[in-house]
Each structure stands twice: as C-alpha cells, then as structure tokens.
Amino acid sequence: MNLDRPLLMIPGPIELHPDVVTAYSIAAPGHLSAPVMQAFKNTLRLMREVWEVDETYQPFVVPGSGTLAMDAIAASLVSPGDVMVQVDTGYFSHRMAEILRRHGAEVVVVAGAPLAPPTLDEVGDALSRTGATALFATHVDTSTGLRTDPEALASLAQRFGALSVFDGVCATAAERLPMQKWGVDAYLTGSQKALGMPPGLALWVCSPAALKRRQQRASPPPMSLDWDQWLPIMHAYEEGRPAYFATPATNLMLAAEVALQHIADDELAGATGIDARCARHARAATALRKAWAALDLTPLSKPDALGDTLSALRYPDGVSAELTKSCAKYGAVVAGGLLPSHRGEYFRVGHMGYSVTRPDYLVRTVCAIAKALSEHGITVDEPAAVAAVQAGLAEA
Ligand code: PMP
C-alpha cells in the first residue's frame, strides 16, 4: 500500500493492518449482534494465547484507554492503607504511583540511577522493608524506553508474598510475557500499541490470586472500574450468552478479533504466534538501533535496559524539537520527549505492531529522520543508515 500521508511512527497509536481497518469501518453493530458476540468470544480466547495463560486466569476487555485499565486494576486491588511498591522507570510509572495513591495506597517508589531501572536488590529491599501487598512496574516505559524484567520482578514479589502487576501498554504482544509461567498476577494494556488496534479498549488479565484479592476488599470500588461488575459479562461472552453491564465498544471488538488473530497466526524463523511476534519486534528494534548508530543518534536511557517497542533518541547538539516537524514533512510522524526532566532533549520513534511487519515502513522512517537531520544542519550518511536497517531486518 502506498500512503499519501506521513507514516504514524509515534509510540502509539500506530499504523494499522488494512484488515483491522476494514473490520471496524462499518456502521456500529449492536452489542448483542452475532458478529460482536463472536468477536468478543474470540478476543477473550485469543487474549489467553497472547498473555499465555489458561482458563484459571481471567481476561477483561472494556471500553477505555490504558489509563482506565491502570485505574481498574488499582480500584480492585488496593484497599485504603495498603502499602504498594512501585518501580520507577519514568513518566508512566509516576502515573501508576499517583493512581495507586488516589485509591488510598501508601506508595513506596523505588528509583535507580538516572535513566535506568532500579536493581533487583533495591526492589527486594523495599518489599522486605515495607511488607507491601503488591509490586507494580511498567514493562516498557514509553517516556524513557526503559524495560523492566517482569520474570525476575514477579519472582521477587512472590518471595515476599506480594502480588505483581505490570503495565504492558507499550509492551503487550511485543515483549515476552508468559504471564502464568512467570507468576505475574495482573498484566494490563491498551489497544493502540503493539496489539495493533485503534485506541479505545482497556485490556487486562488477572491471576486467581489477583481475583481473590478483589474479594477481600471491605467496600466495592467505583462501579465502572470494578472487576466484579465486568466478570459475569466476560463469562457470558466467553460462553456465547448475551449479557449487559455497560455498552462495549462494538466496532473496536471487531478490530480486536482480527488484530489478535494476526498475532496468533504470525510466523518468523520457525517461531509461531506470540513468540514470532516478539521476535519480530526484537529484530526490528535491533535493526533500527544499527541505523541510529549510523546516524550518530544515541539513546536517552541506559542502553542495556531498553525495550523493543520504541526508540527514545537524544537530539544531536544544536538540534531542537523542531526536528520532529521536519520528520513528518519527510514521511514519518515521530513524537517529542515526554519525561518532564528531559522533555526538550530527545524524541521518540515507535516501532510496534503492523509497522514491524513492514520493512518498507521502517526504512521510510529512517530516511525521514536522516533527511530531517540533514535539514537541521547535521551531516548524515543516509545510505549507510538504510543499509544498516535493511541488513538488520534481513537477519532471521
Ligand atoms: N502506560 C504506558 C506505558 C503508556 O505508554 C501509556 C500511553 N502512552 C499509558 C500507560 C496510558 O495509556 P492511555 O494513553 O491509553 O491511557
């Protein structure tokens, strides 16, 4: 497909597969119509595949953005006065901490060195010191590009008797997270990033222990955020029975089914499904890092703790945030910095979902950035950057 507009290469929303666009671009169907019932049922089944859990874990899909998923998790897991440990990775971990506070938690934030996640020892120390009932972390923080290690953090939380909860908004379906195997209790996300759907759905999966924690709350949480309100609805759709609590985003459910099926059907170098999809993101990220190096662009954050869904890159000396406008002019919309303390120092490029299945999109993005840098007075070797990304993508 040749686009007559710049590519949307921000860290969400993202470019969508044409089949996904076709699926939702219809007159709004009723929430109990056969196509929506079928799409809902399949979406919940496919979520179990993508999150890698069995029937003892519960997927939820409700209208809303990633922030609503964060609020719903907090509303159901926090009882006023609970102590929660939050891993500091940047802007979105700060948001989670604030949400937890607003639900009455006492939040202990564990920060590491600047622009690096804290060490496991630092997190373990906070868990043991505070007797926290849950550990919260952002899988990939979209403000810094930092990635945490959910496997190690979940096992740490288990050792200290705490639940582990991860914000996967910028990671789900791109970064490995076999939820059940790693002992993660809640993993939340939004629809508009690596899942490959338009914005508007809040999705999360809970372990049996997390569901039980909701039952231990003395008073029910706000109604639209309460898992217990949504649970019978999820059960009904899974069983193909009509049910109503609050109107689902019907067109988005049609998009969700198609997008998740694409992930389940993906194949790459002998891997299938979610493994193939994660490998595809890793390959794209590695290839792009080679292109950034060829353009002398350096990451904002600690290089050995970076996620595969976006690149947070420092502006070269003498280049301002005006660069992002030039990138759009040359064919790719990228995003400015988001972390308040460093906002004007860097820009962000999203590489997730459909775009990582399209080498031409990634090359076009590299070219747009190279041309924009050149317009801003930086000497760049665009052919070398293109060769670097192409060579990286050719590797299996
Ligand atoms: N967490 C992370 C890691 C995010 O990237 C975002 C969105 N950029 C959010 C939470 C909030 O999601 P939303 O904007 O869909 O509410």
Side-chain angles (χ1 to χ4, degrees):
M1 187 174 33
N2 274 328
L3 293 175
D4 54 4
R5 56 173 174 82
L7 288 171
L8 188 58
M9 299 300 288
I10 61 175
I14 60 163
E15 289 291 333
L16 299 177
H17 192 291
D19 292 352
V20 175
V21 177
T22 304
Y24 74 77
S25 303
I26 61 165
H31 62 293
L32 301 180
S33 62
V36 171
M37 297 274 294
Q38 189 63 24
F40 217 128
K41 180 179 179 156
N42 285 336
T43 295
L44 293 166
R45 174 180 56 77
L46 288 162
M47 279 179 74
R48 287 207 169 87
E49 269 189 47
V50 170
W51 269 250
E52 298 185 62
V53 296
D54 67 19
E55 307 70 45
T56 59
Y57 283 58
Q58 184 58 48
F60 293 82
V61 194
V62 310
S65 76
T67 306
L68 183 127
M70 296 159 92
D71 245 324
I73 298 260
S76 292
L77 288 187
V78 177
S79 291
D82 282 353
V83 178
M84 308 266 156
V85 166
Q86 173 71 50
V87 174
D88 186 351
T89 47
Y91 182 89
F92 287 104
S93 67
H94 304 161
R95 173 172 296 187
M96 191 71 232
E98 178 58 16
I99 286 173
L100 292 170
R101 277 185 212 106
R102 290 185 184 203
H103 287 280
E106 186 192 318
V107 184
V108 176
V109 175
V110 189
L115 299 170
T119 62
L120 288 175
D121 283 348
E122 287 165 330
V123 179
D125 182 51
L127 286 168
S128 84
R129 208 165 22 83
T130 60
T133 54
L135 170 66
F136 283 76
T138 313
H139 193 172
V140 173
D141 197 309
T142 326
S143 67
T144 51
L146 286 174
R147 172 171 58 197
T148 54
D149 179 349
E151 183 177 18
L153 288 171
S155 121
L156 202 57
Q158 272 178 348
R159 187 161 5 125
F160 291 101
L163 297 179
S164 60
V165 181
F166 293 87
D167 166 357
V169 174
C170 199
T172 313
E175 299 279 355
R176 286 219 63 217
L177 195 120
M179 181 172 175
Q180 191 162 359
K181 185 166 161 209
W182 287 359
V184 169
D185 290 295
Y187 192 65
L188 69 95
T189 197
S191 50
Q192 74 276 23
K193 303 209 187 203
L195 283 177
M197 310 166 194
L201 292 178
L203 309 94
W204 67 90
V205 174
C206 293
S207 72
L211 289 169
K212 195 162 150 207
R213 181 69 61 85
R214 159 67 188 87
Q215 302 308 325
Q216 290 161 351
R217 274 186 59 102
S219 59
M223 197 137 156
S224 68
L225 300 178
D226 186 1
W227 298 351
D228 269 10
Q229 292 294 328
W230 289 108
L231 200 53
I233 308 304
M234 300 303 137
H235 287 160
Y237 275 112
E238 281 189 85
E239 290 158 17
R241 280 188 288 111
Y244 168 74
F245 159 57
T247 309
T250 52
N251 291 62
L252 294 179
M253 293 311 302
L254 302 177
E257 178 190 28
V258 174
L260 287 170
Q261 191 65 57
H262 282 167
I263 296 166
D265 292 343
D266 205 358
E267 287 181 26
L268 185 76
T272 55
I274 183 65
D275 288 341
R277 191 44 73 105
C278 291
R280 210 178 271 289
H281 281 84
R283 188 179 71 169
T286 306
L288 286 169
R289 280 181 198 127
K290 290 182 177 148
W292 309 146
L295 294 172
D296 277 336
L297 292 169
T298 52
L300 173 77
S301 305
K302 202 171 170 243
D304 61 2
L306 298 180
D308 288 336
T309 48
L310 79 152
S311 299
L313 301 165
R314 289 182 185 275
Y315 293 119
D317 284 346
V319 173
S320 74
E322 289 295 305
L323 183 81
T324 58
K325 288 188 190 147
S326 303
C327 290
K329 191 171 75 186
Y330 291 114
V333 179
V334 300
L338 187 59
L339 191 67
S341 53
H342 293 70
R343 202 187 293 272
E345 297 169 20
Y346 72 108
F347 66 105
R348 296 170 302 142
V349 185
H351 29 90
M352 54 189 132
Y354 181 51
S355 68
V356 301
T357 72
R358 292 287 303 252
D360 55 331
Y361 283 15
L362 301 178
V363 169
R364 187 165 153 189
T365 303
V366 168
C367 291
I369 293 172
K371 287 189 171 60
L373 285 168
S374 176
E375 184 183 285
H376 285 255
I378 305 293
T379 307
V380 293
D381 187 346
E382 183 179 328
V386 169
V389 70
Q390 281 172 332
L393 290 170
E395 285 165 22

